[in-house]
Amino acid sequence: MFDRLSIRHKLAVLLGASAALALLISSAIAIYSTYVTETEDSLRTLHQTARILSENMRAALAFHDAESAGKILAALHSDPHMLLALVSDEHGQFLSAYRSQRLSDAQEKNLRQRLHTLRAQHFADLAREGGVVDLVEWDAMSVLQPIFFEGQRIGVLALAADVAPMWSKVRTFILMQVFSSAIALALLLYFSFRLQAIFTRPILELIAAMRKVAETKNYRLHLASRSRDEFDDLYRGFNAMLSEISDRDERLNALATTDALTGLFNRRLALETLQAMAKRAQRKGEHLGVIMLDIDFFKRVNDRYGHAVGDHVLKEVARVLRACTREVDFVARLGGEEFLVLCDNGTPAILEAMAERIRSSIAAHRIEYEAGRYVQVTVSLGLYSIAPGEQGDIGQWLVSADEALYRAKETGRNRFVIATKLPDKAGRDA
Amino acid sequence: MRRRTLLSFALSWFFLASPLASEEEKKLQAVFIGRFASYVEWPDGRRERFVITLLDDNPFGNLLGELYHDKRINGKPVELRHARRLEEVGETDILFITVANFQARRAAIEYAQKNGILTISEIKGFAENGGIIQIDFVEQRVRIKINYDAAMKSGLKIGAPLLSIATVLRGEKP
């Protein structure tokens, strides 16, 4: 159930629960403290009454004057919470008693029994001057006060009062505590709902950013944190993760589109690029040049010098190709010793110039495969310039260039042939 | 005046002639004598001992001796005396009077008033006739009667707690 709640609701629930627990504990402590304080206050009052009565009672006890003792006790009528008062002499004989009219016979009997038991339990305490004994029970509190005359105990005063006023105060306090706690809890819940945004806003922003990245695949997104707390660390981590994904994406893309040996673009990208460049050329009304070239007798190089030297030759040819082409041109390795150059605005004249530059540069390039040892290769090139508005497809254009290349090979290699039209049309020799 | 004196005499005789108070009452009286002293303030503490004198009969036997031989009253050791006649009383703090004769008792009261002595008796009408404290036992209950004016005349101050439980006579004849 809790797991299904959103973070903002969880936060509100947690804050509310924490506040409620804190309020419960503090209320329990406050209520207990009030109970103890009220009990002590009530007991203190009863002790004071007992002391005053004892002082007044001393003479009556000293002279066994039950009538005076009764008059003194009669003053307790003014206190409605005083239940029972008993005065006994030094022999334990009752001299006088006071009983509240609220007290039933059974209650009086019960109270007398409890006072008697208390007196018996604390007989030794009551034998010394100042040895006051008290007892707090759920329905009444009692005080036994020994009365001394000239250092001799002449009697004991026993008072019992009800604890209704104390419980009344405790009840009032509990009600106030419950009421104030409810208000405090309501306010805390209200503020927790309002303030939870401080915590949830960064999380919600993060979630929105993640959704946006998932939709747009834009891993270069950067989130700016407005805080300097743990959320700032989270944002930094998120940004670092996005950056890493972006870099990895680029690396994977490069691996997918690049020839690992030469660093040129691969065949798959070359075909896609030819399509895109053809569309752009058509849109701009320009030519697009296609040059296919192949290293002459490359198998012999491999056979004679080994594949390592062959790979080195491929890399060097690629380097020369890059050097001989423009920034706007596209150079790819189609596979084996076959390469493709796409020339932006590649008119036949431009194509021919570029092809010758490539051919001559490679032919003149001495490739050092070991220290002081060189190998030289030549290339044959097939050219095709796609004119603006020309109908056809990639396959036809490439076949045209390839047929021109074939003718260049057939006619002696180390040369270029430009195909004039469609595949069935033959190009002229270089 | 004469009729009144005769009446008092007759009443005193009647009560004295009545059966003697019980032993328990005597014991209480003996205890009370000492306790009264705690509520009475004498003019000065001129003696080193607290003297209790019984005038005429000794109704207590050895009770007083047993009670007070090791007790102190107002911080002083207690001395018990027994005087048959007023002339034998001398200096004392308390004079417990059992004199049956009204005139003789009156003379004892006058002597006590002049010498700052607390007079106590169980004789009926004692307080009304100038005695300071009268102890009555009515239906086994103690009644204390105090002649406040007589105490004042004797220079004695009686504490409020004792007055609060006693029947106090004021403005009565001395």
Side-chain angles (χ1 to χ4, degrees):
Chain A
M1 177 64 186
F2 192 70
D3 292 340
R4 293 180 188 172
L5 293 175
S6 63
I7 288 177
R8 58 198 294 260
H9 287 113
K10 279 178 184 167
L11 272 174
V13 168
L14 283 175
L15 283 170
S18 305
L21 185 64
L23 280 170
L24 186 69
I25 293 171
S26 64
S27 296
I29 292 171
I31 288 168
Y32 179 71
S33 172
T34 302
Y35 166 75
V36 171
T37 305
E38 290 299 333
T39 303
E40 287 174 349
D41 281 351
S42 299
L43 205 55
R44 192 180 304 120
T45 304
L46 196 60
H47 275 282
Q48 285 170 351
T49 305
R51 274 199 297 277
I52 293 167
L53 277 177
S54 299
E55 286 298 322
N56 295 337
M57 191 63 69
R58 183 173 288 117
L61 261 174
F63 298 103
H64 289 235
D65 187 347
E67 190 178 331
S68 295
K71 285 177 185 173
I72 292 167
L73 290 182
L76 294 174
H77 277 293
S78 60
D79 186 349
H81 300 293
M82 197 61 69
L83 297 175
L84 190 67
L86 304 171
V87 180
S88 52
D89 62 16
E90 61 265 47
H91 306 299
Q93 300 296 317
F94 284 111
L95 185 68
S96 187
Y98 162 81
R99 169 190 159 180
S100 169
Q101 290 180 344
R102 295 191 296 118
L103 208 60
S104 68
D105 289 343
Q107 286 172 322
E108 183 191 359
K109 188 179 176 185
N110 179 269
L111 264 182
R112 277 178 181 268
Q113 183 60 43
R114 278 145 69 174
L115 289 172
H116 179 73
T117 306
L118 187 64
R119 179 176 174 156
Q121 286 172 343
H122 297 276
F123 188 80
D125 293 326
L126 294 169
R128 58 182 174 79
E129 202 158 4
V132 185
V133 172
D134 57 43
L135 176 68
V136 179
E137 294 169 296
W138 68 273
D139 60 339
M141 57 175 59
S142 312
V143 168
L144 296 183
Q145 170 100 34
I147 301 172
F148 280 74
F149 185 92
E150 301 287 333
Q152 183 186 0
R153 195 183 75 178
I154 58 172
V156 174
L157 171 68
L159 290 182
D162 71 10
V163 287
M166 182 192 78
W167 283 119
S168 173
K169 286 179 183 175
V170 172
R171 269 197 301 275
T172 304
F173 183 78
I174 289 173
L175 283 175
M176 285 174 61
Q177 194 69 27
V178 168
F179 182 68
S180 59
S181 295
I183 291 176
L185 190 60
L187 285 172
L188 279 169
L189 282 174
Y190 171 75
F191 283 115
S192 68
F193 268 108
R194 295 293 296 264
L195 296 177
Q196 49 81 26
I198 293 172
F199 299 99
T200 55
R201 190 191 300 120
I203 297 172
L204 294 176
E205 285 177 357
L206 201 59
I207 292 169
M210 286 174 67
R211 284 180 178 153
K212 189 176 178 184
V213 168
E215 287 171 6
T216 62
K217 309 295 183 196
N218 177 17
Y219 298 110
R220 296 197 176 279
L221 193 73
H222 181 83
L223 291 179
S225 173
R226 281 174 288 195
S227 58
R228 290 288 174 269
D229 53 15
E230 288 84 348
F231 284 118
D232 187 41
D233 295 336
L234 188 62
Y235 274 45
R236 285 171 192 271
F238 185 75
N239 287 331
M241 188 179 69
L242 282 181
S243 177
E244 195 171 320
I245 291 172
S246 178
D247 291 346
R248 192 176 62 185
D249 212 31
E250 283 183 6
R251 285 198 301 275
L252 286 172
N253 191 48
L255 284 173
T257 58
T258 308
D259 175 57
L261 179 66
T262 61
L264 297 177
F265 294 115
N266 62 14
R267 180 185 184 88
R268 189 178 65 80
L269 186 63
L271 298 178
E272 288 176 6
T273 306
L274 174 57
Q275 181 81 43
M277 288 179 76
K279 281 185 182 175
R280 191 175 64 190
Q282 290 290 339
R283 192 170 61 247
K284 291 169 72 176
E286 293 178 348
H287 281 80
L288 174 63
V290 179
I291 301 174
M292 289 187 72
L293 63 117
D294 189 281
I295 300 172
D296 299 328
F297 302 115
F298 184 67
K299 187 173 180 302
R300 292 183 190 171
V301 175
N302 273 337
D303 292 344
R304 181 173 178 182
Y305 300 102
H307 287 285
V309 174
D311 287 347
H312 183 63
V313 167
L314 287 172
K315 283 194 275 190
E316 284 300 303
V317 168
R319 193 168 64 80
V320 173
L321 277 175
R322 271 197 293 265
C324 294
T325 52
R326 303 165 300 177
E327 285 286 326
V328 293
D329 297 331
F330 179 87
V331 183
R333 182 186 173 205
L334 295 179
E337 66 274 26
E338 197 172 40
F339 296 87
L340 175 72
V341 179
L342 300 176
C343 302
D344 194 45
N345 196 21
T347 60
I350 290 173
L351 277 185
E352 285 177 358
M354 185 178 290
E356 176 54 28
R357 190 162 61 246
I358 292 168
R359 186 201 64 77
S360 59
S361 295
I362 290 173
H365 184 54
R366 296 176 72 213
I367 300 168
E368 187 176 24
Y369 63 94
E370 282 179 16
R373 305 187 75 170
Y374 298 92
V375 62
Q376 280 186 285
V377 293
T378 60
V379 292
S380 299
L381 304 94
L383 287 54
Y384 182 73
S385 178
I386 306 163
E390 183 180 320
Q391 298 298 315
D393 56 30
I394 293 173
Q396 288 175 307
W397 297 331
L398 287 175
V399 168
S400 293
D402 193 43
E403 284 180 356
L405 171 60
Y406 179 75
R407 283 200 296 279
K409 291 275 186 186
E410 287 293 310
T411 54
R413 294 184 174 82
N414 190 24
R415 66 189 61 200
F416 67 85
V417 171
I418 183 163
T420 52
K421 285 295 177 187
L422 292 176
D424 55 333
K425 302 285 179 67
R428 63 184 175 87
D429 294 341
Chain B
M1 182 70 184
R2 183 173 176 165
R3 286 181 63 188
R4 198 167 176 180
T5 307
L6 285 171
L7 181 64
S8 300
F9 177 78
L11 284 171
S12 301
W13 180 85
F14 172 75
F15 283 110
L16 282 173
S18 64
L20 287 174
S22 69
E23 282 300 309
E24 185 61 29
E25 288 175 355
K26 285 296 165 200
K27 280 183 187 172
L28 286 175
Q29 279 184 1
V31 170
F32 290 174
I33 289 170
R35 288 184 179 176
F36 283 134
S38 295
Y39 293 102
V40 176
E41 192 178 323
W42 276 262
D44 55 45
R46 54 189 182 272
R47 285 179 293 277
E48 292 181 353
R49 304 175 79 82
F50 190 89
V51 182
I52 299 172
T53 304
L54 304 177
L55 180 58
D56 204 358
D57 288 334
N58 175 11
F60 302 109
N62 293 326
L63 264 177
L64 288 178
E66 290 168 2
L67 271 173
Y68 297 107
H69 77 278
D70 58 346
K71 295 276 173 60
R72 297 175 81 86
I73 295 177
N74 292 344
K76 299 173 184 176
V78 179
E79 180 182 334
L80 296 172
R81 292 179 192 166
H82 184 201
R84 280 286 176 191
R85 293 183 296 127
L86 185 60
E87 292 75 22
E88 296 172 7
V89 170
E91 289 190 343
T92 185
D93 294 286
I94 291 178
L95 186 63
F96 189 87
I97 299 172
T98 57
V99 179
N101 181 276
F102 181 80
Q103 295 300 333
R105 192 162 66 243
R106 184 65 184 267
I109 289 169
E110 286 177 1
Y111 174 82
Q113 278 187 359
K114 287 176 186 170
N115 293 282
I117 297 168
L118 175 67
T119 53
I120 304 171
S121 179
E122 60 174 336
I123 296 169
K124 304 294 178 190
F126 180 73
E128 287 85 350
N129 290 290
I132 298 175
I133 296 177
Q134 178 182 322
I135 305 169
D136 292 331
F137 284 93
V138 180
E139 295 173 351
Q140 296 182 328
R141 286 191 162 191
V142 179
R143 291 276 192 281
I144 296 168
K145 196 178 286 182
I146 294 175
N147 187 328
Y148 187 75
D149 293 337
M152 295 295 286
K153 275 188 178 179
S154 303
L156 304 177
K157 291 180 183 175
I158 299 180
L162 180 57
L163 292 174
S164 70
I165 64 163
T167 302
V168 180
L169 304 178
R170 293 174 192 267
E172 298 290 330
K173 66 179 180 179

